[in-house]
Coordinates of all heavy atoms in Angstrom, one line a residue:
M17 N 23.3 63.3 27.1 CA 24.0 64.4 27.6 C 23.3 65.7 27.3 O 22.7 65.8 26.3 CB 25.4 64.4 26.9 CG 26.5 64.0 27.9 SD 28.1 64.1 27.0 CE 28.4 62.4 26.6
R18 N 23.5 66.6 28.2 CA 22.9 67.9 28.0 C 24.0 69.0 27.8 O 25.1 68.7 28.1 CB 22.1 68.3 29.3 CG 20.9 67.4 29.6 CD 20.2 67.8 30.8 NE 19.8 69.3 30.9 CZ 18.8 69.8 30.2 NH1 18.0 69.1 29.5 NH2 18.5 71.1 30.4
Y19 N 23.6 70.2 27.3 CA 24.5 71.2 27.1 C 25.2 71.6 28.3 O 26.4 72.1 28.3 CB 23.9 72.4 26.4 CG 23.1 73.3 27.3 CD1 23.7 74.5 27.8 CD2 21.8 73.1 27.7 CE1 23.0 75.3 28.7 CE2 21.1 73.9 28.5 CZ 21.7 75.1 29.0 OH 21.0 75.9 29.8
T20 N 24.6 71.4 29.5 CA 25.3 71.7 30.8 C 26.4 70.8 31.1 O 27.1 71.0 32.0 CB 24.2 71.7 31.9 OG1 23.5 70.5 31.9 CG2 23.2 72.9 31.7
D21 N 26.5 69.7 30.4 CA 27.6 68.7 30.6 C 28.9 69.1 29.9 O 29.9 68.4 30.0 CB 27.2 67.3 30.1 CG 26.1 66.8 31.0 OD1 26.1 67.0 32.2 OD2 25.1 66.1 30.4
Y22 N 28.9 70.2 29.1 CA 30.0 70.7 28.4 C 31.1 71.1 29.4 O 30.8 71.8 30.3 CB 29.6 71.8 27.5 CG 30.7 72.6 26.8 CD1 31.3 72.0 25.7 CD2 31.2 73.8 27.2 CE1 32.4 72.7 25.0 CE2 32.2 74.5 26.6 CZ 32.8 73.9 25.5 OH 33.8 74.6 24.8
I23 N 32.3 70.7 29.1 CA 33.5 71.1 29.9 C 34.3 72.1 29.1 O 34.9 71.7 28.1 CB 34.3 69.9 30.4 CG1 33.4 69.0 31.3 CG2 35.5 70.4 31.2 CD1 34.0 67.7 31.6
R24 N 34.4 73.3 29.5 CA 35.1 74.4 28.8 C 36.6 74.2 29.2 O 37.0 74.2 30.3 CB 34.6 75.8 29.3 CG 35.2 76.9 28.5 CD 34.5 78.2 29.0 NE 33.1 78.2 28.6 CZ 32.1 78.3 29.5 NH1 32.4 78.5 30.8 NH2 30.9 78.3 29.1
L25 N 37.5 74.1 28.2 CA 38.9 73.9 28.4 C 39.8 75.0 27.9 O 40.8 75.3 28.5 CB 39.3 72.6 27.7 CG 38.6 71.3 28.3 CD1 38.9 70.1 27.4 CD2 39.0 71.1 29.7
K26 N 39.3 75.8 26.9 CA 40.1 76.9 26.4 C 39.1 78.0 26.0 O 38.0 77.7 25.5 CB 40.9 76.6 25.1 CG 41.9 75.5 25.3 CD 42.6 75.2 24.0 CE 43.6 74.1 24.0 NZ 44.2 73.8 22.7
T27 N 39.4 79.3 26.3 CA 38.4 80.3 26.1 C 39.1 81.5 25.3 O 40.3 81.6 25.2 CB 37.9 80.9 27.4 OG1 39.0 81.5 28.1 CG2 37.2 79.9 28.2
G28 N 38.2 82.3 24.7 CA 38.6 83.5 24.0 C 37.5 84.2 23.4 O 36.8 83.7 22.5
G29 N 37.1 85.4 23.9 CA 36.2 86.3 23.3 C 34.8 85.7 22.8 O 34.6 85.6 21.6
Y30 N 33.9 85.5 23.7 CA 32.6 84.9 23.5 C 32.6 83.6 22.8 O 31.6 83.1 22.2 CB 31.8 85.9 22.6 CG 31.5 87.2 23.3 CD1 32.3 88.3 23.0 CD2 30.5 87.3 24.3 CE1 32.1 89.5 23.6 CE2 30.3 88.6 24.9 CZ 31.1 89.7 24.6 OH 30.9 90.8 25.2
Q31 N 33.7 82.9 23.0 CA 33.8 81.5 22.4 C 34.8 80.7 23.2 O 35.6 81.2 24.0 CB 34.3 81.6 20.9 CG 35.7 82.2 20.8 CD 36.1 82.4 19.4 OE1 35.6 81.9 18.5 NE2 37.2 83.2 19.2
S32 N 34.6 79.4 23.1 CA 35.5 78.4 23.8 C 35.5 77.1 23.0 O 34.7 76.9 22.1 CB 35.0 78.2 25.2 OG 33.9 77.4 25.3
V33 N 36.4 76.3 23.4 CA 36.4 74.9 23.0 C 36.5 74.0 24.2 O 37.1 74.4 25.2 CB 37.6 74.5 22.0 CG1 37.3 75.2 20.6 CG2 38.9 74.9 22.5
G34 N 36.0 72.8 24.1 CA 36.0 71.9 25.2 C 35.4 70.6 24.8 O 35.5 70.2 23.6
M35 N 34.8 69.8 25.8 CA 34.4 68.5 25.5 C 33.1 68.1 26.1 O 32.7 68.7 27.2 CB 35.5 67.5 26.0 CG 36.8 67.6 25.3 SD 38.0 66.4 25.8 CE 37.3 64.9 25.0
F36 N 32.4 67.2 25.5 CA 31.3 66.5 26.1 C 31.8 65.1 26.3 O 32.3 64.4 25.3 CB 30.1 66.4 25.1 CG 29.4 67.7 25.0 CD1 29.6 68.6 23.9 CD2 28.4 68.1 25.9 CE1 29.0 69.8 23.7 CE2 27.8 69.3 25.8 CZ 28.0 70.2 24.7
G37 N 31.8 64.6 27.5 CA 32.3 63.3 27.8 C 33.8 63.2 27.5 O 34.6 64.2 27.6
D38 N 34.3 62.0 27.1 CA 35.7 61.8 26.9 C 36.1 61.8 25.4 O 37.3 61.8 25.1 CB 36.1 60.4 27.4 CG 36.0 60.3 28.9 OD1 36.1 61.3 29.6 OD2 35.7 59.2 29.4
H39 N 35.1 61.9 24.5 CA 35.5 61.8 23.1 C 34.9 62.8 22.1 O 35.2 62.8 20.9 CB 35.1 60.4 22.6 CG 35.7 59.3 23.4 ND1 37.0 58.9 23.4 CD2 35.1 58.5 24.3 CE1 37.2 57.9 24.2 NE2 36.1 57.6 24.8
I40 N 34.0 63.7 22.6 CA 33.4 64.6 21.7 C 33.9 66.0 22.0 O 33.7 66.6 23.0 CB 31.8 64.6 21.9 CG1 31.3 63.2 21.7 CG2 31.2 65.6 21.0 CD1 29.9 63.0 22.1
Y41 N 34.7 66.5 21.0 CA 35.2 67.9 21.1 C 34.2 68.8 20.5 O 33.5 68.5 19.5 CB 36.6 68.0 20.3 CG 37.7 67.3 21.0 CD1 38.0 65.9 20.6 CD2 38.5 67.9 21.9 CE1 39.0 65.2 21.2 CE2 39.5 67.2 22.5 CZ 39.8 65.9 22.2 OH 40.8 65.2 22.8
A42 N 34.1 70.0 21.1 CA 33.1 71.0 20.7 C 33.6 72.4 20.7 O 34.4 72.7 21.6 CB 31.8 70.8 21.5
Y43 N 33.0 73.2 19.9 CA 33.2 74.6 19.8 C 32.0 75.3 20.4 O 30.9 75.0 20.0 CB 33.5 75.1 18.4 CG 33.4 76.6 18.2 CD1 34.5 77.4 18.6 CD2 32.3 77.2 17.6 CE1 34.4 78.8 18.4 CE2 32.3 78.6 17.4 CZ 33.3 79.4 17.8 OH 33.3 80.7 17.7
E44 N 32.1 76.2 21.4 CA 31.0 76.9 22.0 C 31.1 78.3 21.6 O 32.1 79.0 21.7 CB 31.1 76.8 23.5 CG 30.1 77.6 24.2 CD 30.3 77.7 25.7 OE1 31.5 78.0 26.1 OE2 29.4 77.6 26.5
V45 N 29.9 78.9 21.2 CA 29.8 80.3 20.9 C 28.5 80.8 21.6 O 27.5 80.1 21.6 CB 29.8 80.6 19.3 CG1 28.6 79.9 18.7 CG2 29.9 82.0 19.1
L46 N 28.6 82.0 22.1 CA 27.5 82.6 22.8 C 26.7 83.4 21.7 O 27.2 84.1 21.0 CB 27.9 83.5 23.9 CG 28.7 82.8 25.0 CD1 29.1 83.8 26.1 CD2 27.9 81.6 25.6
T47 N 25.4 83.1 21.7 CA 24.5 83.7 20.6 C 23.3 84.4 21.2 O 22.9 84.1 22.3 CB 24.0 82.6 19.7 OG1 23.2 81.6 20.4 CG2 25.2 81.8 19.0
G48 N 22.7 85.2 20.4 CA 21.5 85.9 20.7 C 21.6 86.9 21.8 O 22.7 87.2 22.4
I49 N 20.5 87.6 22.1 CA 20.5 88.6 23.1 C 20.8 88.2 24.5 O 21.3 88.9 25.3 CB 19.1 89.4 23.0 CG1 19.3 90.7 23.7 CG2 18.0 88.5 23.5 CD1 18.1 91.7 23.4
T50 N 20.6 86.9 24.7 CA 20.8 86.3 26.1 C 22.1 85.6 26.2 O 22.4 85.0 27.2 CB 19.7 85.4 26.5 OG1 19.6 84.3 25.5 CG2 18.3 86.1 26.5
D51 N 23.0 85.7 25.2 CA 24.2 85.0 25.2 C 24.1 83.5 25.5 O 24.8 82.9 26.3 CB 25.2 85.6 26.2 CG 25.9 86.8 25.6 OD1 25.8 87.0 24.4 OD2 26.4 87.6 26.4
S52 N 23.1 82.9 24.8 CA 22.9 81.4 25.0 C 24.0 80.6 24.3 O 24.3 81.0 23.2 CB 21.5 81.0 24.5 OG 20.5 81.5 25.3
P53 N 24.5 79.6 24.9 CA 25.5 78.8 24.3 C 25.0 77.9 23.2 O 23.9 77.4 23.2 CB 26.1 78.0 25.4 CG 25.0 77.8 26.3 CD 24.2 79.1 26.3
E54 N 25.8 77.8 22.1 CA 25.5 76.9 21.0 C 26.8 76.1 20.7 O 27.9 76.7 20.8 CB 25.2 77.8 19.8 CG 24.9 77.1 18.5 CD 24.5 78.1 17.4 OE1 23.3 78.5 17.4 OE2 25.3 78.4 16.6
Y55 N 26.6 74.8 20.4 CA 27.8 73.9 20.3 C 27.9 73.3 18.9 O 26.9 72.8 18.4 CB 27.7 72.9 21.4 CG 27.7 73.5 22.8 CD1 26.5 73.7 23.4 CD2 28.9 73.8 23.4 CE1 26.4 74.3 24.6 CE2 28.8 74.4 24.7 CZ 27.6 74.6 25.3 OH 27.6 75.2 26.5
H56 N 29.1 73.3 18.4 CA 29.4 72.6 17.1 C 30.5 71.6 17.3 O 31.5 72.0 18.0 CB 29.8 73.7 16.0 CG 28.8 74.7 15.8 ND1 27.8 74.7 14.8 CD2 28.6 75.9 16.5 CE1 27.1 75.8 14.9 NE2 27.6 76.6 15.9
Q57 N 30.4 70.5 16.7 CA 31.4 69.5 16.9 C 32.7 69.9 16.1 O 32.6 70.5 15.0 CB 31.0 68.1 16.3 CG 32.0 67.0 16.5 CD 31.5 65.7 16.0 OE1 30.6 65.6 15.2 NE2 32.3 64.6 16.3
I58 N 33.9 69.7 16.8 CA 35.2 69.9 16.1 C 36.0 68.7 16.3 O 35.7 67.8 17.1 CB 35.9 71.2 16.7 CG1 36.2 71.0 18.2 CG2 35.1 72.4 16.4 CD1 37.0 72.1 18.8
S59 N 37.1 68.7 15.6 CA 38.1 67.6 15.7 C 39.1 67.8 16.8 O 39.2 69.0 17.3 CB 38.8 67.4 14.4 OG 39.7 68.5 14.1
K60 N 39.9 66.8 17.2 CA 41.0 67.0 18.1 C 42.0 68.0 17.6 O 42.5 68.8 18.3 CB 41.6 65.6 18.4 CG 42.9 65.7 19.2 CD 42.7 65.8 20.7 CE 44.0 65.5 21.5 NZ 44.8 66.6 21.8
T61 N 42.3 67.9 16.3 CA 43.2 68.8 15.7 C 42.7 70.3 15.8 O 43.5 71.2 16.1 CB 43.5 68.5 14.2 OG1 44.0 67.1 14.2 CG2 44.4 69.4 13.5
E62 N 41.4 70.5 15.5 CA 40.9 71.8 15.6 C 40.9 72.3 17.1 O 41.2 73.5 17.3 CB 39.4 71.9 15.1 CG 39.4 71.7 13.6 CD 38.1 71.3 13.0 OE1 37.2 70.8 13.8 OE2 37.8 71.6 11.8
F63 N 40.6 71.4 18.0 CA 40.7 71.8 19.4 C 42.2 72.2 19.7 O 42.4 73.3 20.4 CB 40.4 70.6 20.3 CG 40.6 70.8 21.7 CD1 39.7 71.5 22.5 CD2 41.8 70.3 22.3 CE1 40.0 71.7 23.9 CE2 42.1 70.5 23.7 CZ 41.1 71.2 24.4
D64 N 43.1 71.5 19.3 CA 44.5 71.8 19.6 C 45.0 73.1 19.0 O 45.9 73.8 19.5 CB 45.5 70.6 19.1 CG 45.3 69.4 19.9 OD1 44.8 69.4 21.1 OD2 45.7 68.3 19.4
S65 N 44.4 73.5 17.9 CA 44.8 74.7 17.2 C 43.9 75.9 17.4 O 43.9 76.9 16.7 CB 45.0 74.4 15.7 OG 43.7 74.1 15.1
F66 N 43.0 75.8 18.4 CA 42.1 76.9 18.7 C 42.7 78.2 18.8 O 42.2 79.2 18.3 CB 41.3 76.5 20.0 CG 40.4 77.6 20.6 CD1 39.3 78.0 19.9 CD2 40.8 78.3 21.7 CE1 38.4 79.0 20.4 CE2 40.0 79.3 22.2 CZ 38.8 79.7 21.6
E67 N 43.8 78.3 19.5 CA 44.5 79.6 19.7 C 44.8 80.3 18.4 O 44.9 81.5 18.3 CB 45.7 79.5 20.6 CG 45.5 79.1 22.0 CD 45.3 77.6 22.2 OE1 45.4 76.8 21.3 OE2 45.0 77.2 23.4
T68 N 45.1 79.5 17.4 CA 45.4 80.0 16.0 C 44.2 80.5 15.3 O 44.1 81.6 14.9 CB 46.2 79.0 15.2 OG1 47.4 78.6 15.9 CG2 46.6 79.5 13.8
W69 N 43.3 79.6 15.0 CA 42.1 79.9 14.2 C 41.1 80.8 14.9 O 40.4 81.6 14.2 CB 41.4 78.7 13.6 CG 40.9 77.7 14.5 CD1 41.5 76.5 14.8 CD2 39.7 77.7 15.2 NE1 40.7 75.8 15.7 CE2 39.6 76.5 16.0 CE3 38.6 78.6 15.3 CZ2 38.5 76.1 16.8 CZ3 37.5 78.2 16.1 CH2 37.5 77.0 16.8
S70 N 41.1 80.9 16.2 CA 40.2 81.8 16.9 C 40.6 83.2 16.8 O 39.9 84.2 17.0 CB 40.0 81.4 18.3 OG 41.2 81.6 19.1
Q71 N 41.9 83.4 16.4 CA 42.5 84.8 16.3 C 42.7 85.2 14.9 O 43.3 86.2 14.6 CB 43.9 84.8 17.0 CG 43.8 84.5 18.5 CD 42.9 85.5 19.3 OE1 43.0 86.7 19.1 NE2 42.1 85.0 20.1
E72 N 42.1 84.5 13.9 CA 42.2 84.8 12.5 C 41.7 86.2 12.3 O 40.7 86.7 13.0 CB 41.4 83.9 11.6 CG 42.0 82.5 11.5 CD 41.1 81.5 10.7 OE1 39.9 81.8 10.6 OE2 41.7 80.5 10.2
D73 N 42.3 86.9 11.4 CA 41.8 88.3 11.0 C 40.3 88.2 10.5 O 39.9 87.2 9.9 CB 42.7 88.8 9.8 CG 42.3 90.2 9.5 OD1 42.8 91.1 10.2 OD2 41.5 90.4 8.6
I74 N 39.6 89.2 10.8 CA 38.1 89.3 10.5 C 37.9 89.0 9.0 O 36.8 88.5 8.7 CB 37.5 90.6 11.0 CG1 36.0 90.6 11.0 CG2 38.0 91.8 10.2 CD1 35.4 89.8 12.1
T75 N 38.8 89.4 8.2 CA 38.6 89.2 6.7 C 39.0 87.8 6.3 O 38.8 87.4 5.1 CB 39.4 90.2 5.9 OG1 40.8 90.1 6.2 CG2 39.0 91.6 6.3
D76 N 39.6 87.0 7.2 CA 40.1 85.6 6.8 C 39.7 84.6 7.8 O 40.6 83.9 8.3 CB 41.6 85.7 6.6 CG 42.1 84.4 6.0 OD1 41.4 83.8 5.1 OD2 43.3 84.1 6.3
R77 N 38.5 84.4 8.1 CA 38.0 83.5 9.1 C 37.5 82.2 8.5 O 36.4 81.7 8.8 CB 37.0 84.1 10.0 CG 37.6 85.3 10.8 CD 36.7 85.6 11.9 NE 37.5 86.5 12.8 CZ 37.0 86.9 14.0 NH1 35.9 86.5 14.4 NH2 37.8 87.7 14.7
K78 N 38.3 81.6 7.7 CA 37.9 80.4 7.0 C 37.5 79.2 7.9 O 36.5 78.6 7.8 CB 38.9 79.9 5.9 CG 39.1 80.9 4.8 CD 40.2 80.5 3.9 CE 40.5 81.6 2.9 NZ 41.7 81.5 2.2
K79 N 38.4 78.9 8.9 CA 38.2 77.8 9.8 C 37.0 78.1 10.7 O 36.1 77.2 10.8 CB 39.4 77.6 10.6 CG 39.3 76.5 11.7 CD 38.8 75.1 11.1 CE 39.8 74.4 10.3 NZ 39.3 73.1 9.8
L80 N 36.9 79.3 11.2 CA 35.7 79.6 12.0 C 34.4 79.5 11.3 O 33.4 79.0 11.8 CB 35.9 81.0 12.6 CG 34.8 81.5 13.6 CD1 34.7 80.6 14.8 CD2 35.1 82.9 14.0
C81 N 34.4 80.0 10.1 CA 33.2 80.0 9.2 C 32.8 78.5 8.9 O 31.6 78.1 9.0 CB 33.3 80.7 7.9 SG 33.3 82.5 8.2
E82 N 33.8 77.7 8.7 CA 33.6 76.3 8.4 C 32.9 75.6 9.6 O 31.9 74.9 9.5 CB 34.9 75.6 8.1 CG 34.8 74.1 7.9 CD 36.1 73.4 7.9 OE1 37.1 74.0 7.5 OE2 36.1 72.2 8.3
I83 N 33.4 75.9 10.8 CA 32.9 75.3 12.0 C 31.5 75.8 12.3 O 30.6 75.0 12.7 CB 33.9 75.5 13.2 CG1 35.2 74.8 13.0 CG2 33.2 75.2 14.6 CD1 36.3 75.2 14.0
I84 N 31.3 77.1 12.2 CA 29.9 77.6 12.5 C 28.9 77.1 11.6 O 27.7 77.0 11.9 CB 30.0 79.2 12.6 CG1 30.8 79.6 13.8 CG2 28.6 79.8 12.5 CD1 31.0 81.1 14.0
N85 N 29.3 76.7 10.4 CA 28.3 76.2 9.4 C 28.0 74.7 9.6 O 27.2 74.2 8.9 CB 28.8 76.5 8.0 CG 28.5 77.9 7.6 OD1 27.5 78.5 7.8 ND2 29.6 78.6 7.1
R86 N 28.7 74.1 10.6 CA 28.3 72.7 10.9 C 27.1 72.7 11.7 O 26.7 73.7 12.3 CB 29.5 72.1 11.7 CG 30.8 71.9 10.9 CD 31.9 71.4 11.7 NE 33.1 71.4 11.0 CZ 34.3 71.3 11.5 NH1 34.5 71.0 12.8 NH2 35.4 71.3 10.7
P87 N 26.4 71.5 11.8 CA 25.1 71.4 12.6 C 25.4 71.8 14.0 O 26.4 71.5 14.6 CB 24.7 70.0 12.4 CG 25.4 69.5 11.2 CD 26.7 70.3 11.1
V88 N 24.4 72.4 14.6 CA 24.4 72.6 16.1 C 24.1 71.3 16.8 O 23.0 70.8 16.6 CB 23.4 73.7 16.5 CG1 23.3 73.9 18.0 CG2 23.7 75.0 15.8
I89 N 25.0 70.8 17.6 CA 24.8 69.5 18.2 C 23.9 69.6 19.5 O 23.3 68.7 19.9 CB 26.1 68.7 18.5 CG1 27.1 69.5 19.3 CG2 26.7 68.3 17.1 CD1 28.3 68.8 19.7
C90 N 23.9 70.8 20.1 CA 23.0 71.2 21.2 C 23.2 72.6 21.5 O 24.2 73.2 21.1 CB 23.2 70.3 22.4 SG 24.8 70.4 23.3
S91 N 22.3 73.2 22.3 CA 22.5 74.6 22.7 C 21.7 74.9 24.0 O 21.0 74.0 24.5 CB 22.0 75.5 21.6 OG 20.5 75.5 21.5
G92 N 21.8 76.1 24.4 CA 21.0 76.5 25.6 C 19.6 76.9 25.3 O 18.9 77.3 26.2
Y93 N 19.2 76.9 24.0 CA 17.9 77.3 23.6 C 16.9 76.2 24.0 O 17.2 75.0 23.9 CB 17.8 77.6 22.1 CG 18.5 78.9 21.8 CD1 19.7 78.9 21.2 CD2 17.9 80.1 22.1 CE1 20.4 80.0 20.8 CE2 18.6 81.3 21.8 CZ 19.8 81.3 21.2 OH 20.5 82.4 20.8
L94 N 15.7 76.6 24.3 CA 14.6 75.7 24.7 C 14.4 74.7 23.5 O 14.3 75.0 22.4 CB 13.3 76.5 24.8 CG 12.1 75.7 25.3 CD1 12.3 75.1 26.7 CD2 10.9 76.6 25.4
G95 N 14.4 73.4 23.9 CA 14.2 72.3 23.0 C 15.4 71.8 22.3 O 15.4 70.9 21.5
R96 N 16.6 72.4 22.6 CA 17.9 72.0 22.0 C 18.9 71.6 23.0 O 20.1 71.4 22.7 CB 18.4 73.1 21.1 CG 17.6 73.7 20.0 CD 17.5 72.8 18.8 NE 18.6 72.3 18.2 CZ 19.3 72.8 17.2 NH1 19.0 73.9 16.7 NH2 20.4 72.2 16.7
A97 N 18.5 71.4 24.3 CA 19.4 71.2 25.4 C 20.1 69.8 25.3 O 21.2 69.7 25.9 CB 18.7 71.4 26.7
E98 N 19.5 68.8 24.7 CA 20.0 67.5 24.7 C 21.0 67.4 23.5 O 20.7 67.8 22.4 CB 18.9 66.4 24.6 CG 18.0 66.3 25.8 CD 18.7 65.8 27.0 OE1 19.6 65.0 26.9 OE2 18.3 66.3 28.1
L99 N 22.1 66.7 23.7 CA 23.1 66.4 22.7 C 22.5 65.6 21.6 O 22.0 64.5 21.9 CB 24.3 65.8 23.3 CG 25.5 65.5 22.3 CD1 26.1 66.9 21.9 CD2 26.5 64.7 23.0
D100 N 22.4 66.0 20.4 CA 21.9 65.2 19.3 C 23.0 64.4 18.7 O 23.7 64.8 17.8 CB 21.2 66.2 18.2 CG 20.5 65.5 17.1 OD1 20.6 64.2 17.0 OD2 19.7 66.1 16.4
T101 N 23.1 63.1 19.1 CA 24.1 62.3 18.7 C 24.0 61.9 17.2 O 25.0 61.5 16.6 CB 24.2 61.0 19.5 OG1 22.9 60.3 19.5 CG2 24.6 61.3 20.9
S102 N 22.8 62.1 16.6 CA 22.6 61.8 15.2 C 23.4 62.7 14.3 O 23.7 62.5 13.1 CB 21.2 61.7 14.8 OG 20.6 63.1 14.8
L103 N 23.8 63.9 14.9 CA 24.5 64.9 14.1 C 26.0 64.8 14.2 O 26.8 65.4 13.5 CB 24.1 66.3 14.6 CG 22.7 66.7 14.3 CD1 22.3 68.0 15.0 CD2 22.3 66.7 12.8
L104 N 26.5 63.9 15.1 CA 27.9 63.7 15.3 C 28.6 63.0 14.1 O 28.0 62.1 13.5 CB 28.2 62.9 16.6 CG 27.7 63.5 17.9 CD1 28.0 62.6 19.0 CD2 28.4 64.9 18.1
R105 N 29.8 63.4 13.8 CA 30.5 62.9 12.6 C 31.8 62.3 13.1 O 32.3 62.7 14.2 CB 30.8 64.0 11.6 CG 29.6 64.8 11.2 CD 29.8 65.9 10.2 NE 30.9 66.8 10.7 CZ 31.7 67.5 10.0 NH1 31.6 67.4 8.7 NH2 32.6 68.3 10.5
D106 N 32.4 61.5 12.3 CA 33.8 61.0 12.5 C 34.8 62.1 12.0 O 35.0 62.1 10.8 CB 34.1 59.7 11.9 CG 33.3 58.6 12.6 OD1 33.1 58.7 13.8 OD2 33.0 57.6 11.9
I107 N 35.2 63.0 12.8 CA 36.2 64.0 12.3 C 37.4 64.0 13.2 O 37.5 63.5 14.3 CB 35.6 65.4 12.3 CG1 35.0 65.8 13.6 CG2 34.5 65.5 11.2 CD1 34.5 67.3 13.7

């Protein structure tokens, strides 16, 4: 799968959550000067609660920081376009 196979389901301020295929939930954030997408795996529970944790106060973004510190499973950057299934976890 490629980063272009991502299906955006919920959006909010330079970020979204969605899916790759039928079973891989992902968080998308636009990065860099070109707003290239970067994807981190999330759980179904995190997907369902996106509206809550994506609106956390700037001083209390524990969930967002946790997700962003997870491995990038793919991105729009050259050489990272393919989904790296070795980085997927059971979450």
